[in-house]
Amino acid sequence: MYECSLDRMKDKIKTFSAFGDAGHGGITRYSLSEEAIMARNEFRRRMEAIGADIEIDDLANMYATIPGSEPDAKRIVMGSHCDSVKNGGNYDGILGVMAAMEVLETVVENGIEHKHPLTAMIWTNEEGSLYPPAMMCSGIVCYDYLPEDIRDKFKYDDMMKSKSVLDNSITFGEILKKSGFAGERRFRLDPKRYECMFETHIEQGPILEDVGCDIGVVDCVLGMFNYRLKFYGQTTHAGTFPMAKRKDALLAAAKALCYIHEEIDKLGYSDLVYTTGEIVCHPCVHTCVPDYIDFSFDARHENPEVLEKVLEIVKSCACKEWCGCRCEVEKAWNRDTVYWNKELVGYVKEAAAESEIPHMYIHSGAGHDAQFCAYMLPTTMIFVQSKNGLSHCEQEYSSPEHCTEGATVMLNAVLKADQRGSGYE
């Protein structure tokens, strides 16, 4: 078994944390921003220093490859993204890039024999923070392999027209061209050139820490649905209209949301998660009774039958009158559970066990570029423990030791895939 370098990992964490440092312990590093370009240039510098060949595709996805003993063999790719949410942390996404770099550096430093070329990569615009949607460029690259209902959301021409949430006049296509990182389409991730993919990521939750495990052997990304519930009432003056005659859309929405929570909790699924994270209120004036409320409802679980039961509860809201208000329920989008390649999951499990690193099987509740790759290539993920389960915030933290363990597990799992193959189950 081989081990990655703790000192090198500490240095990478310190270096990359400076690109977009928000001054409060975290970063804001939007995709293709000046800060993201600094991170990309650092990736290029370090990878060229070990003799890796750099390729950049037409979406600015970057690939750094060291050769194997069989030059015609397909590449094994490892990577994640370097962009962040606003005021995010120093580990989400970029850890997968640093771990991939560390694997290549360890292989070169130790002269580790391997047949397949090994590639570390950066995905462009995973977060979609500045240019929606999330996982934009993996969606475009994997487009032909995605299920139809997902594929339609990632048409190349539409994505190039995605407008900045900060400046509606600038599109993703324009910032891509301006960045200087728009390469050639022929360099895209492709099953004709690539064997399989690994992505190391922080857990973003508290499960590993709670049970005392350092590493999560990820077996799937949970299925989910996202719906919008819309309530229609009547705007009246807040001080003059009698309570009994009101059609308060916000009160209606609040009662409906409580109803949904109560009914879902009765189902008794402790591993089910659901969230309302976005609310639209009209006219949103303190002296007016709201006449329109629109809120999101996101539910996630491995079993589609469980999600269907939850969806029945959500949809039932449209069959009721809420405080004199009408309710409409509309689908935003959904996805089925995406299972990782069994052989690759097995290699991760073996690598963690052989390295004597505490580990456990775990699901991913969050989406990742790897889930789109899984439709195109054999793919798997490795989770690293997150302190207090915090992510997408400046308090996000994974220790250098845990980060290095994640890289070590990926290194040894990749070497197993290099020798045994990845399978296509």
Side-chain angles (χ1 to χ4, degrees):
M1 299 299 293
Y2 295 94
E3 291 186 5
C4 290
S5 167
L6 175 60
D7 288 341
R8 268 200 310 261
M9 182 61 76
K10 287 180 178 179
D11 179 62
K12 282 194 278 287
I13 293 171
K14 180 180 179 181
T15 300
F16 281 93
S17 295
F19 305 138
D21 180 5
H24 310 98
I27 56 166
T28 296
R29 192 163 60 217
Y30 294 130
S31 188
L32 299 181
S33 65
E34 179 181 347
E35 295 80 9
I37 289 173
M38 292 169 67
R40 286 166 172 269
N41 286 334
E42 181 68 11
F43 172 82
R44 187 204 299 266
R45 184 187 72 80
R46 289 178 182 247
M47 292 294 91
E48 287 181 340
I50 62 170
D53 179 54
I54 307 297
E55 296 174 340
I56 306 175
D57 69 23
D58 58 322
L59 298 164
N61 299 313
M62 297 183 70
Y63 310 81
T65 303
I66 58 174
S69 61
E70 298 180 7
D72 294 332
K74 292 183 178 181
R75 302 175 180 185
I76 297 175
V77 62
M78 300 153 279
S80 193
H81 59 97
C82 70
D83 58 314
S84 79
V85 297
K86 182 179 180 180
N87 298 125
N90 294 314
Y91 303 88
D92 178 5
I94 193 62
L95 173 59
V97 176
M98 295 188 296
M101 294 166 64
E102 181 59 35
V103 168
L104 266 58
E105 290 164 339
T106 302
V107 168
V108 170
E109 179 184 59
N110 293 280
I112 300 173
E113 295 183 2
H114 57 101
K115 298 185 299 183
H116 296 260
L118 304 180
T119 300
M121 79 168 289
I122 295 176
W123 283 106
T124 303
N125 200 27
E126 192 273 350
E127 295 290 1
S129 299
L130 197 55
Y131 298 94
M135 301 180 292
M136 176 192 283
C137 292
S138 57
I140 296 173
V141 168
C142 303
Y143 180 86
D144 290 339
Y145 300 86
L146 300 177
E148 186 174 354
D149 59 336
I150 297 177
R151 188 171 64 235
D152 289 344
K153 298 181 182 295
F154 292 95
K155 294 179 180 178
Y156 179 85
D157 290 341
D158 292 343
M159 297 298 96
M160 292 300 106
K161 296 174 184 176
S162 175
K163 293 185 176 181
S164 166
V165 299
L166 298 182
D167 184 347
N168 193 50
S169 67
I170 300 177
T171 67
F172 177 76
E174 290 168 340
I175 198 68
L176 174 62
K177 183 177 181 180
K178 181 181 178 181
S179 72
F181 280 84
E184 300 180 49
R185 184 186 178 106
R186 65 189 177 95
F187 292 135
R188 286 188 186 183
L189 197 69
D190 189 308
K192 294 178 182 178
R193 300 175 67 214
Y194 287 86
E195 172 77 10
C196 58
M197 180 185 177
F198 291 78
E199 180 173 0
T200 296
H201 206 280
I202 59 170
E203 180 198 349
Q204 301 180 276
I207 296 173
L208 293 175
E209 185 178 53
D210 286 350
V211 300
C213 286
D214 296 355
I215 293 295
V217 180
V218 191
D219 54 8
C220 69
V221 174
L222 296 179
M224 66 165 290
F225 68 72
N226 192 296
Y227 272 68
R228 308 293 305 196
L229 285 85
K230 302 179 179 183
F231 295 81
Y232 299 86
Q234 176 64 58
T235 295
T236 57
H237 194 288
T240 62
F241 206 79
M243 297 297 293
K245 295 175 68 68
R246 294 187 181 191
K247 296 180 180 180
D248 185 333
L250 181 54
L251 178 61
K255 287 183 176 293
L257 186 57
C258 288
Y259 163 81
I260 291 172
H261 276 244
E262 291 166 0
E263 293 302 308
I264 291 176
D265 288 347
K266 290 177 184 177
L267 297 176
Y269 296 108
S270 60
D271 54 349
L272 169 69
V273 293
Y274 53 94
T275 305
T276 292
E278 184 180 18
I279 301 173
V280 177
C281 177
H282 181 273
C284 206
V285 176
H286 79 278
T287 56
C288 294
V289 175
D291 68 347
Y292 176 75
I293 296 291
D294 173 353
F295 68 75
S296 64
F297 194 83
D298 176 307
R300 308 185 187 212
H301 196 273
E302 179 182 4
N303 189 335
E305 294 180 0
V306 172
L307 289 178
E308 187 59 36
K309 292 178 181 179
V310 175
L311 185 55
E312 288 178 6
I313 294 170
V314 173
K315 287 183 174 180
S316 72
C317 291
C319 303
K320 305 174 184 293
E321 184 180 277
W322 302 92
C323 304
C325 298
R326 174 171 57 89
C327 173
E328 293 180 357
V329 178
E330 296 181 0
K331 176 182 173 181
W333 70 292
N334 73 299
R335 69 165 183 245
D336 294 331
T337 296
V338 176
Y339 291 96
W340 301 135
N341 176 268
K342 292 181 180 179
E343 280 77 10
L344 298 185
V345 173
Y347 297 159
V348 172
K349 177 74 166 61
E350 287 181 32
E354 291 169 3
S355 297
E356 298 183 344
I357 297 172
H359 61 279
M360 62 177 285
Y361 287 113
I362 193 170
H363 305 325
S364 174
H368 303 279
D369 288 316
Q371 77 189 61
F372 285 163
C373 287
Y375 292 110
M376 185 172 73
L377 294 171
T379 302
T380 197
M381 291 189 72
I382 299 157
F383 275 175
V384 169
Q385 185 186 120
S386 294
K387 180 66 175 176
N388 297 324
L390 297 176
S391 182
H392 277 200
C393 62
E394 294 178 328
Q395 293 76 32
E396 177 182 280
Y397 180 75
S398 293
S399 72
E401 290 77 11
H402 288 154
C403 293
T404 306
E405 286 178 335
T408 291
V409 170
M410 184 163 68
L411 165 63
N412 289 289
V414 163
L415 293 176
K416 293 177 186 296
D418 176 67
Q419 295 298 317
R420 305 183 201 169
S422 58
Y424 287 88
E425 290 188 15

